[in-house]
Structure formats: structure tokens, C-alpha cells
Amino acid sequence: QKEVEQNSGPLSVPEGAIASLNCTYSDRGSQSFFWYRQYSGKSPELIMSIYSNGDKEDGRFTAQLNKASQYVSLLIRDSQPSDSATYLCAVKIQAGTALIFGKGTTLSVSS
Amino acid sequence: SQTIHQWPATLVQPVGSPLSLECTVEGTSNPNLYWYRQAAGRGLQLLFYSVGIGQISSEVPQNLSASRPQDRQFILSSKKLLLSDSGFYLCAWSGAANYGYTFGSGTRLTVV
């Protein structure tokens, strides 16, 4: 069974710190990787996508992918209270299949 | 730009009653469409996905069904709801094969 694993948290960081969120996946052939942010009671919002090994930066967000270790992470620099949410990791195993989501990590940023 | 509409936002239904949730996408053609469910304390569970009109793939055997009568319309149905059907139902669409999904605002269903 294809799995995406995340630490449920909560991960607590002070305002201005770097938050590091981690995700592992079971299928070595996975092709595409995504991070979603979900505020309480709301639907998930796509914030980052990454397809090849290495880092991808977008503003305060950096996604990191290591296919050999089957590991993807999300770094949030200069964390703000508005970043407090659940972050979902999602993996697409191959074209023609649907995304598989982890259960999410809850991030709490204190001011 | 593309938008996805999902309704109703909340729904309280008795056990054994029918269900119909509708999702429509605007601003794109031939989208891939998905229904997910998020139960309390659990992750997003894929229920159905569709790559075209009349083409439905089911991921989890249950008392739910899905239909795609038009290119940009996706409907989730049940003939008789169970208590275990309660949850947050999310419709999503995607374009090219490896793109991420855009979710609708969701329907919170409570079966009583």
C-alpha cells in the first residue's frame, strides 16, 4: 500500500523562527510532490510543488526533495502567526493516478 | 481564470437519507476531477476520480457513488447515508497530469 507519512505535531515555533516540516513516502517511483496548507475548517491550498531533487524556493517557503531517501520537506522562514495551520504533504506516484496525502502536521507559531 | 464551485457548504442529514453533492469547474476544459473525504482526525481519503465524461474510478468500496454528466460537473451521491459517512467532502480539479490539485471550499456533512 502506498503511504505518505508525516509527524502529526503539533510543531510549535516562535514568531520569526524557521519551521521545518518533514514527509516520507513509500513508493520509490513517485514523480511529483506537493505541499498544501489547510487552515482549520477550510479546504487545502496548494503552496509548493517540486518535481526534481534539490531545493525550490518561493518567498518564505522552500521545498526540499531527496528521492534517494524518499524524503520531502518544507521550510518556512520568518514564521508568522498567520502560518499557523495544518500542512499536508501529497505525492503523485505516476501519471494517471491521484494524489496520496499524508495526515498533515499542525504548525503553531506563537507571537 | 479557473474556479471551482462546491455546494452546499454544510449539510445535516439523517441516517438512511439520500445525498447529492455537486461540484462544477469554470474556465477550463476536460479537467481531471476528484472527490476526497476528510474525517475528523484523519487524512484526506480519495473516494473517486474522473478523467472524462462518464469515466469514474472508485478507490474505496462504500455506499457512495459518483457521476460526471458534463465535462465540468462532478456529483457525489448516496442512496442511504450511514453515520460513518460524516466528514468534510472536498472536490478538486487538475489540468496536466503532474500538476497539483485545486480544491473547492468543501461540504461539511453530519449524519445524525
Side-chain angles (χ1 to χ4, degrees), chain A residues 31-32 34 36 38 40-46 49 51 88 92 94-103, chain B residues 34 36 38 41-44 46 49 51 59 88 90 94 96-106 108:
Chain A
Q31 298 180 345
S32 310
F34 306 90
Y36 284 80
Q38 186 176 23
S40 180
K42 303 296 185 181
S43 61
E45 172 192 13
L46 179 64
S49 58
Y51 304 97
L88 305 173
K92 178 181 278 284
Q94 59 185 8
T97 63
L99 288 182
I100 299 174
F101 284 82
K103 293 183 178 181
Chain B
Y34 309 87
Y36 282 85
Q38 189 175 40
R42 302 183 64 180
L44 281 166
L46 177 67
Y49 69 94
V51 298
E59 290 294 309
F88 192 35
L90 291 156
S94 70
N98 285 327
Y99 284 6
Y101 300 171
T102 299
F103 284 90
S105 55
R108 193 162 302 280

Side-chain angles (χ1 to χ4, degrees), chain A residues 1-5 24-30 70 91 93:
Chain A
Q1 183 172 347
K2 316 302 182 185
E3 294 184 341
V4 177
E5 300 286 344
T24 59
Y25 56 94
S26 62
D27 194 292
R28 186 170 292 277
S30 298
Q70 296 174 235
V91 175
I93 296 173

Side-chain angles (χ1 to χ4, degrees), chain A residues 6 16 40 50 83 89-90 94 105:
Chain A
Q6 296 181 254
S40 180
I50 187 166
D83 295 325
C89 174
Q94 59 185 8
T105 298

Side-chain angles (χ1 to χ4, degrees), chain A residues 36, chain B residues 1-4 23-34 91-96 99-104:
Chain A
Y36 284 80
Chain B
S1 63
Q2 302 89 359
T3 56
I4 179 169
C23 171
T24 59
V25 180
E26 295 179 355
T28 187
S29 297
N30 197 31
N32 294 330
L33 296 171
Y34 309 87
C91 180
W93 78 274
S94 70
Y99 284 6
Y101 300 171
T102 299
F103 284 90

Side-chain angles (χ1 to χ4, degrees), chain B residues 47-74:
Chain B
L47 301 176
F48 301 95
Y49 69 94
S50 172
V51 298
I53 296 174
Q55 300 178 62
I56 308 295
S57 295
S58 174
E59 290 294 309
V60 181
Q62 56 207 326
N63 69 319
L64 299 172
S65 63
S67 62
R68 186 168 176 174
Q70 300 180 44
D71 181 44
R72 290 169 287 177
Q73 184 185 30
F74 205 21

